[in-house]
Amino acid sequence: MNKLFLFVFTFLIIGPLSSQEFPNNEIKLNIAGVIAFASVEVGYEYLFDYNQSIDAEVLINDRINFYDETSTNKFNTNSVKLGYNFYFGTENPGSGLYFNPFVKYRFGDFEEVTRDNDFFPPLIEEVTTDMNTFIIGLGSGYKWNFSNSFVISLYGSIGRNFSDEVKERFSAIEFHAGVGIGYRF
């Protein structure tokens, strides 16, 4: 029975992966996040079929709903994300319209200084919000694949976080978008 399972696994999974004639690996960067928010989002995507892939991303200085950081508000948050991509394009592998269900885990905190003007002198207090939360979401976008090496994508996503503290301070629903550039090899 174990030999049969091993044969089926090898035939169905490993066999098609080794016979592909296009680059399977992609590294990518959300260039819009770097420019607009000083948030670094780097990722790796593995195409295991012509129109399917898995991706992993690391988000440094991750911000919820593009919330602005000021001199009195500071995000100390990072995230890791794991997703599955299904592409509807037929011209090139891993291109065209795609959908991306994902899971994400954010860790860190948010610090802000509040000022209560009801007192004289005003009462100033530093408040810290624990941002550790598990997020489930769905994204979509469009990816252009140039010569199976350079890619550009526009994408957006919506997710639901499961932290009561984050929901109390910000929102349970999170939006994210970006302009990605990448290289396939």
Side-chain angles (χ1 to χ4, degrees), residues 54-85:
I54 56 172
D55 69 346
E57 295 182 9
V58 175
L59 296 88
I60 301 167
N61 194 24
D62 185 22
R63 300 196 192 164
I64 185 170
N65 293 337
F66 306 112
Y67 195 85
D68 193 20
E69 191 172 72
T70 65
S71 61
T72 59
N73 297 334
K74 181 159 177 56
F75 281 92
N76 303 309
T77 53
N78 299 309
S79 299
V80 291
K81 178 183 161 195
L82 182 63
Y84 164 80
N85 297 319

Side-chain angles (χ1 to χ4, degrees), residues 55-57 59 79-84 100-106 133-138 160 162:
D55 69 346
E57 295 182 9
L59 296 88
S79 299
V80 291
K81 178 183 161 195
L82 182 63
Y84 164 80
N100 170 252
F102 65 88
V103 293
K104 178 177 168 182
Y105 183 75
R106 180 186 304 112
T133 186
F134 180 73
I135 302 160
I136 295 176
L138 179 63
R160 167 80 160 77
F162 293 93

Side-chain angles (χ1 to χ4, degrees), residues 90 107 126 162:
T90 57
F107 50 93
E126 187 173 306
F162 293 93

Side-chain angles (χ1 to χ4, degrees), residues 107-127:
F107 50 93
D109 58 36
F110 173 74
E111 298 171 353
E112 64 185 324
V113 176
T114 61
R115 180 181 176 124
D116 189 349
N117 290 327
D118 291 340
F119 296 95
F120 184 80
L123 181 62
I124 296 174
E125 180 182 11
E126 187 173 306
V127 178

